[in-house]
DNA sequence: CGTCTATTTGAATGTACTCAAAAGCGGTGG
DNA sequence: CCACCGCTTTTGAGTACATTCAAATAGACG
């Protein structure tokens, strides 16, 4: 594969020596997705860590009433994966799907464990990645249990300004936990 | 300090050699808390990782209207900390307070970093701890944005059966994101 | 231009909150 | 042992927030 982009992307975030870079690049799979392509579907075990180079993915659940609930968006330089399914080898409840044509770097499960086992730096870097994701998630929980739809929408705008004009209000509504109709009302009242 | 309990607790969960155990024990502070004692208060920087040996802590936010929102309970063998405040040296928005007389093991921030830097095993173990916490949190978010109060209460019962008779419904209501009055209604209808 | 999707609007309904008050329960001191 | 206090839990009425369903309007794209 063309290793250039991988090296470039990762050396912006992680300090790696040449040996570590080589080890990483050998295990990285570059993949191009069309719009509305699935990276993970309900029932499959999530066998990859995914890094978004360009584009945008969403991870969501479909509940028993057929409603969609967005759990996470991942755009440029974000990681996404169903960690529960990945680590416990359980069928996922979730879908991961592209909202745009998207370019990702995938790491297959065995390769992830090889990274951990061969170079300490990966244990550390993935620890830090997940710590940051955890911190963000915690803020979201607090928000969800303590704020109104309007406040959650305002927070979304503040946190994801780069997504605002790229994704539909249907997607945003599904992320903040309201219906599109109600988000429309909220937006009307805000102006 | 009396190192016995620390060693016992940790070797149940982590595989450590003698050198690592010694290193850990030297950096562990055992602390006894009365009921309603604070481990962290809003405005302070969270400078510790906390492991609960016995008892129960809650972490919560007080919003601008004076309402309480429980983010996490930590009982026997659980870790708790405001990771955002810890890693970014920011004043915390949160309180951590004991719900019972509680016995904890604290790791001061510098010591945590020493653990990471001197023994690979700690980078890995804390990675795994936070990964599991992340997975749990993710389930909670999904739940919060897709379920009714009744479903959230049932899930709480299922997930924390050991806490049910130890903490008040006020605390549970604050965790699942409803008022105590409404939780009472829900429980009435359930029977 | 037509089709598909996204967004808005409105009315009726349901879910959860607020406020006030009553009832239950456990511990403590006399 | 009982009376009282503080806290938790319940009850009810009125209100606010958010959903459902149906339909109209607007935009995007081949």
């Amino acid at each position: 594969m063309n290793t250039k982009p991988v090296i470039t992307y990762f050396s912006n975030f992680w300090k790696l020596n040449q040996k570590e870079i080589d080890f990483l690049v050998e295990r990285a799979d570059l993949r191009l997705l069309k719009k509305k392509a699935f990276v993970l579907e309900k029932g499959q075990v999530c066998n990859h860590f995914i890094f978004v180079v360009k584009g945008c993915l969403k991870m969501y659940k479909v509940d028993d009433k057929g409603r969609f609930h967005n759990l996470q968006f991942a755009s440029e330089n974000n990681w996404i994966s169903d960690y529960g399914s990945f680590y416990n080898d359980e069928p996922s409840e979730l879908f991961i799907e592209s909202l745009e044509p998207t370019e990702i770097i995938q790491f297959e499960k065995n390769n992830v464990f090889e990274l951990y086992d061969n170079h300490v730096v990966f244990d550390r870097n993935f620890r830090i990645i997940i710590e940051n994701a955890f911190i963000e998630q915690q803020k979201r929980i607090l928000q969800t249990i303590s704020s109104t739809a309007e406040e959650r929408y305002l927070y979304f705008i503040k946190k994801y300004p780069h997504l605002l004009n790229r994704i539909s209000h249907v997607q945003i509504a599904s992320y903040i936990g309201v219906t599109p109709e109600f988000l429309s009302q909220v937006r009307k009242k805000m102006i």
Short mmCIF file of all heavy atoms in Angstrom, two decimals, chain D residues 10-24:
data_model
loop_
_atom_site.label_atom_id
_atom_site.label_comp_id
_atom_site.label_asym_id
_atom_site.label_seq_id
_atom_site.Cartn_x
_atom_site.Cartn_y
_atom_site.Cartn_z
P DT D 10 -41.76 4.92 47.11
OP1 DT D 10 -42.18 3.51 47.04
OP2 DT D 10 -41.03 5.55 45.98
"O5'" DT D 10 -43.05 5.80 47.41
"C5'" DT D 10 -43.86 5.48 48.54
"C4'" DT D 10 -45.03 6.43 48.61
"O4'" DT D 10 -44.54 7.77 48.82
"C3'" DT D 10 -45.90 6.50 47.34
"O3'" DT D 10 -47.23 6.21 47.73
"C2'" DT D 10 -45.73 7.93 46.84
"C1'" DT D 10 -45.33 8.68 48.10
N1 DT D 10 -44.50 9.90 47.93
C2 DT D 10 -44.98 11.10 48.40
O2 DT D 10 -46.08 11.24 48.92
N3 DT D 10 -44.13 12.17 48.21
C4 DT D 10 -42.87 12.14 47.63
O4 DT D 10 -42.20 13.17 47.54
C5 DT D 10 -42.43 10.84 47.18
C7 DT D 10 -41.09 10.71 46.53
C6 DT D 10 -43.26 9.81 47.35
P DT D 11 -48.33 5.82 46.64
OP1 DT D 11 -49.16 4.77 47.27
OP2 DT D 11 -47.68 5.59 45.34
"O5'" DT D 11 -49.22 7.13 46.49
"C5'" DT D 11 -49.42 7.96 47.63
"C4'" DT D 11 -50.11 9.25 47.25
"O4'" DT D 11 -49.12 10.30 47.25
"C3'" DT D 11 -50.77 9.31 45.86
"O3'" DT D 11 -52.14 9.61 46.05
"C2'" DT D 11 -50.03 10.40 45.11
"C1'" DT D 11 -49.41 11.22 46.24
N1 DT D 11 -48.10 11.87 45.93
C2 DT D 11 -47.91 13.18 46.29
O2 DT D 11 -48.76 13.87 46.85
N3 DT D 11 -46.68 13.70 45.97
C4 DT D 11 -45.64 13.03 45.34
O4 DT D 11 -44.59 13.60 45.11
C5 DT D 11 -45.90 11.65 44.99
C7 DT D 11 -44.84 10.85 44.29
C6 DT D 11 -47.10 11.15 45.29
P DG D 12 -53.23 9.65 44.88
OP1 DG D 12 -54.55 9.34 45.51
OP2 DG D 12 -52.77 8.85 43.72
"O5'" DG D 12 -53.24 11.19 44.47
"C5'" DG D 12 -53.43 12.19 45.46
"C4'" DG D 12 -53.40 13.55 44.80
"O4'" DG D 12 -52.02 14.01 44.72
"C3'" DG D 12 -53.94 13.57 43.36
"O3'" DG D 12 -54.80 14.69 43.21
"C2'" DG D 12 -52.68 13.72 42.51
"C1'" DG D 12 -51.77 14.51 43.43
N9 DG D 12 -50.35 14.38 43.17
C8 DG D 12 -49.66 13.26 42.77
N7 DG D 12 -48.38 13.45 42.63
C5 DG D 12 -48.20 14.78 42.97
C6 DG D 12 -47.02 15.58 43.00
O6 DG D 12 -45.85 15.25 42.75
N1 DG D 12 -47.29 16.89 43.38
C2 DG D 12 -48.54 17.38 43.70
N2 DG D 12 -48.60 18.66 44.04
N3 DG D 12 -49.64 16.65 43.67
C4 DG D 12 -49.40 15.37 43.30
P DA D 13 -55.69 14.89 41.88
OP1 DA D 13 -57.10 14.65 42.26
OP2 DA D 13 -55.09 14.15 40.76
"O5'" DA D 13 -55.50 16.45 41.61
"C5'" DA D 13 -55.16 17.37 42.67
"C4'" DA D 13 -54.53 18.60 42.04
"O4'" DA D 13 -53.10 18.38 41.92
"C3'" DA D 13 -55.05 18.91 40.63
"O3'" DA D 13 -55.19 20.32 40.48
"C2'" DA D 13 -53.97 18.33 39.73
"C1'" DA D 13 -52.72 18.57 40.56
N9 DA D 13 -51.62 17.64 40.30
C8 DA D 13 -51.69 16.29 40.00
N7 DA D 13 -50.52 15.73 39.82
C5 DA D 13 -49.62 16.76 40.01
C6 DA D 13 -48.22 16.81 39.96
N6 DA D 13 -47.44 15.76 39.69
N1 DA D 13 -47.62 18.01 40.20
C2 DA D 13 -48.40 19.06 40.47
N3 DA D 13 -49.73 19.14 40.55
C4 DA D 13 -50.28 17.94 40.30
P DG D 14 -55.78 20.95 39.12
OP1 DG D 14 -56.72 22.01 39.51
OP2 DG D 14 -56.19 19.86 38.20
"O5'" DG D 14 -54.50 21.65 38.48
"C5'" DG D 14 -53.76 22.61 39.26
"C4'" DG D 14 -52.47 22.90 38.54
"O4'" DG D 14 -51.64 21.71 38.52
"C3'" DG D 14 -52.66 23.32 37.06
"O3'" DG D 14 -51.85 24.46 36.83
"C2'" DG D 14 -52.19 22.10 36.29
"C1'" DG D 14 -51.12 21.55 37.22
N9 DG D 14 -50.78 20.14 37.03
C8 DG D 14 -51.65 19.07 36.87
N7 DG D 14 -51.02 17.93 36.72
C5 DG D 14 -49.68 18.26 36.78
C6 DG D 14 -48.52 17.45 36.68
O6 DG D 14 -48.46 16.24 36.51
N1 DG D 14 -47.35 18.21 36.79
C2 DG D 14 -47.30 19.56 36.97
N2 DG D 14 -46.09 20.12 37.05
N3 DG D 14 -48.37 20.33 37.07
C4 DG D 14 -49.52 19.61 36.97
P DT D 15 -51.80 25.19 35.38
OP1 DT D 15 -51.77 26.64 35.60
OP2 DT D 15 -52.82 24.56 34.50
"O5'" DT D 15 -50.36 24.75 34.86
"C5'" DT D 15 -49.22 24.94 35.73
"C4'" DT D 15 -47.99 24.42 35.04
"O4'" DT D 15 -48.00 22.97 35.04
"C3'" DT D 15 -47.84 24.85 33.58
"O3'" DT D 15 -46.54 25.38 33.42
"C2'" DT D 15 -48.03 23.57 32.78
"C1'" DT D 15 -47.54 22.53 33.78
N1 DT D 15 -48.04 21.14 33.61
C2 DT D 15 -47.12 20.11 33.58
O2 DT D 15 -45.93 20.29 33.67
N3 DT D 15 -47.66 18.86 33.42
C4 DT D 15 -49.00 18.53 33.30
O4 DT D 15 -49.34 17.37 33.17
C5 DT D 15 -49.91 19.65 33.34
C7 DT D 15 -51.38 19.41 33.23
C6 DT D 15 -49.40 20.88 33.49
P DA D 16 -46.09 26.12 32.09
OP1 DA D 16 -45.51 27.42 32.50
OP2 DA D 16 -47.15 26.05 31.07
"O5'" DA D 16 -44.89 25.20 31.63
"C5'" DA D 16 -43.86 24.87 32.56
"C4'" DA D 16 -43.01 23.80 31.94
"O4'" DA D 16 -43.77 22.57 31.87
"C3'" DA D 16 -42.56 24.11 30.51
"O3'" DA D 16 -41.21 23.71 30.43
"C2'" DA D 16 -43.49 23.26 29.65
"C1'" DA D 16 -43.69 22.06 30.55
N9 DA D 16 -44.92 21.28 30.35
C8 DA D 16 -46.20 21.73 30.26
N7 DA D 16 -47.09 20.78 30.10
C5 DA D 16 -46.35 19.62 30.10
C6 DA D 16 -46.69 18.26 29.98
N6 DA D 16 -47.94 17.83 29.83
N1 DA D 16 -45.69 17.36 30.02
C2 DA D 16 -44.44 17.80 30.18
N3 DA D 16 -43.98 19.03 30.32
C4 DA D 16 -45.00 19.91 30.26
P DC D 17 -40.30 24.15 29.18
OP1 DC D 17 -39.12 24.83 29.73
OP2 DC D 17 -41.13 24.78 28.12
"O5'" DC D 17 -39.81 22.73 28.64
"C5'" DC D 17 -39.46 21.72 29.57
"C4'" DC D 17 -39.55 20.39 28.86
"O4'" DC D 17 -40.93 20.00 28.71
"C3'" DC D 17 -38.95 20.39 27.46
"O3'" DC D 17 -38.04 19.30 27.41
"C2'" DC D 17 -40.16 20.22 26.54
"C1'" DC D 17 -41.12 19.46 27.43
N1 DC D 17 -42.58 19.58 27.15
C2 DC D 17 -43.34 18.41 27.04
O2 DC D 17 -42.78 17.32 27.15
N3 DC D 17 -44.68 18.52 26.81
C4 DC D 17 -45.24 19.72 26.71
N4 DC D 17 -46.57 19.77 26.50
C5 DC D 17 -44.48 20.92 26.82
C6 DC D 17 -43.17 20.81 27.03
P DA D 18 -37.05 19.12 26.15
OP1 DA D 18 -35.81 18.48 26.64
OP2 DA D 18 -37.01 20.38 25.40
"O5'" DA D 18 -37.84 18.05 25.28
"C5'" DA D 18 -38.00 16.73 25.79
"C4'" DA D 18 -38.94 15.95 24.91
"O4'" DA D 18 -40.25 16.53 24.96
"C3'" DA D 18 -38.57 15.92 23.42
"O3'" DA D 18 -38.27 14.58 23.09
"C2'" DA D 18 -39.79 16.50 22.70
"C1'" DA D 18 -40.90 16.29 23.74
N9 DA D 18 -42.03 17.21 23.63
C8 DA D 18 -42.01 18.58 23.62
N7 DA D 18 -43.20 19.13 23.52
C5 DA D 18 -44.06 18.04 23.46
C6 DA D 18 -45.46 17.94 23.36
N6 DA D 18 -46.28 18.98 23.28
N1 DA D 18 -45.99 16.70 23.32
C2 DA D 18 -45.17 15.64 23.40
N3 DA D 18 -43.85 15.60 23.51
C4 DA D 18 -43.35 16.85 23.54
P DT D 19 -38.23 14.05 21.58
OP1 DT D 19 -37.29 12.93 21.56
OP2 DT D 19 -38.07 15.20 20.65
"O5'" DT D 19 -39.68 13.45 21.38
"C5'" DT D 19 -40.15 12.46 22.32
"C4'" DT D 19 -41.41 11.83 21.82
"O4'" DT D 19 -42.48 12.81 21.85
"C3'" DT D 19 -41.34 11.31 20.38
"O3'" DT D 19 -41.88 9.99 20.35
"C2'" DT D 19 -42.19 12.29 19.58
"C1'" DT D 19 -43.17 12.79 20.62
N1 DT D 19 -43.66 14.18 20.41
C2 DT D 19 -45.02 14.42 20.29
O2 DT D 19 -45.85 13.54 20.34
N3 DT D 19 -45.36 15.73 20.11
C4 DT D 19 -44.51 16.81 20.02
O4 DT D 19 -44.94 17.96 19.86
C5 DT D 19 -43.10 16.50 20.15
C7 DT D 19 -42.10 17.60 20.07
C6 DT D 19 -42.75 15.22 20.33
P DT D 20 -41.81 9.13 19.00
OP1 DT D 20 -41.59 7.75 19.44
OP2 DT D 20 -40.90 9.80 18.05
"O5'" DT D 20 -43.27 9.24 18.37
"C5'" DT D 20 -44.41 8.90 19.15
"C4'" DT D 20 -45.66 9.23 18.37
"O4'" DT D 20 -45.86 10.66 18.37
"C3'" DT D 20 -45.63 8.79 16.91
"O3'" DT D 20 -46.77 7.94 16.69
"C2'" DT D 20 -45.73 10.08 16.10
"C1'" DT D 20 -46.32 11.06 17.10
N1 DT D 20 -45.91 12.50 16.97
C2 DT D 20 -46.88 13.47 16.95
O2 DT D 20 -48.07 13.22 17.01
N3 DT D 20 -46.41 14.75 16.87
C4 DT D 20 -45.08 15.15 16.81
O4 DT D 20 -44.78 16.34 16.74
C5 DT D 20 -44.11 14.08 16.83
C7 DT D 20 -42.66 14.41 16.76
C6 DT D 20 -44.56 12.82 16.91
P DC D 21 -46.91 6.98 15.42
OP1 DC D 21 -47.66 5.80 15.88
OP2 DC D 21 -45.59 6.83 14.77
"O5'" DC D 21 -47.86 7.80 14.43
"C5'" DC D 21 -49.00 8.47 14.95
"C4'" DC D 21 -49.49 9.50 13.96
"O4'" DC D 21 -48.81 10.76 14.20
"C3'" DC D 21 -49.25 9.15 12.49
"O3'" DC D 21 -50.50 9.21 11.82
"C2'" DC D 21 -48.27 10.22 12.00
"C1'" DC D 21 -48.58 11.38 12.95
N1 DC D 21 -47.50 12.38 13.15
C2 DC D 21 -47.85 13.71 13.41
O2 DC D 21 -49.05 14.02 13.48
N3 DC D 21 -46.88 14.63 13.59
C4 DC D 21 -45.59 14.25 13.51
N4 DC D 21 -44.67 15.20 13.71
C5 DC D 21 -45.21 12.90 13.26
C6 DC D 21 -46.19 12.01 13.08
P DA D 22 -50.68 8.71 10.29
OP1 DA D 22 -51.90 7.86 10.25
OP2 DA D 22 -49.39 8.22 9.74
"O5'" DA D 22 -51.03 10.10 9.58
"C5'" DA D 22 -51.81 11.06 10.27
"C4'" DA D 22 -51.79 12.36 9.49
"O4'" DA D 22 -50.70 13.19 9.97
"C3'" DA D 22 -51.55 12.18 7.98
"O3'" DA D 22 -52.42 13.04 7.26
"C2'" DA D 22 -50.09 12.55 7.81
"C1'" DA D 22 -49.94 13.65 8.87
N9 DA D 22 -48.56 13.88 9.31
C8 DA D 22 -47.56 12.96 9.49
N7 DA D 22 -46.42 13.47 9.88
C5 DA D 22 -46.71 14.83 9.98
C6 DA D 22 -45.90 15.94 10.36
N6 DA D 22 -44.63 15.84 10.72
N1 DA D 22 -46.50 17.16 10.34
C2 DA D 22 -47.78 17.25 9.98
N3 DA D 22 -48.63 16.29 9.61
C4 DA D 22 -48.01 15.09 9.63
P DA D 23 -52.53 12.99 5.68
OP1 DA D 23 -53.98 12.91 5.37
OP2 DA D 23 -51.58 12.01 5.14
"O5'" DA D 23 -52.02 14.44 5.27
"C5'" DA D 23 -52.35 15.57 6.08
"C4'" DA D 23 -51.42 16.69 5.74
"O4'" DA D 23 -50.16 16.48 6.42
"C3'" DA D 23 -51.10 16.78 4.24
"O3'" DA D 23 -51.29 18.11 3.81
"C2'" DA D 23 -49.63 16.38 4.17
"C1'" DA D 23 -49.13 16.85 5.52
N9 DA D 23 -47.89 16.24 5.97
C8 DA D 23 -47.54 14.92 5.95
N7 DA D 23 -46.33 14.68 6.42
C5 DA D 23 -45.87 15.93 6.76
C6 DA D 23 -44.64 16.37 7.32
N6 DA D 23 -43.64 15.55 7.62
N1 DA D 23 -44.50 17.70 7.55
C2 DA D 23 -45.51 18.51 7.24
N3 DA D 23 -46.69 18.22 6.72
C4 DA D 23 -46.81 16.90 6.50
P DA D 24 -51.27 18.52 2.25
OP1 DA D 24 -52.64 18.91 1.92
OP2 DA D 24 -50.55 17.48 1.47
"O5'" DA D 24 -50.35 19.82 2.29
"C5'" DA D 24 -50.47 20.74 3.38
"C4'" DA D 24 -49.17 21.51 3.49
"O4'" DA D 24 -48.16 20.62 4.03
"C3'" DA D 24 -48.64 22.01 2.15
"O3'" DA D 24 -48.26 23.37 2.27
"C2'" DA D 24 -47.47 21.10 1.85
"C1'" DA D 24 -46.98 20.77 3.26
N9 DA D 24 -46.23 19.52 3.38
C8 DA D 24 -46.61 18.27 3.00
N7 DA D 24 -45.71 17.34 3.25
C5 DA D 24 -44.67 18.04 3.83
C6 DA D 24 -43.41 17.63 4.32
N6 DA D 24 -42.99 16.37 4.29
N1 DA D 24 -42.61 18.58 4.84
C2 DA D 24 -43.04 19.86 4.87
N3 DA D 24 -44.19 20.36 4.44
C4 DA D 24 -44.97 19.38 3.92
#
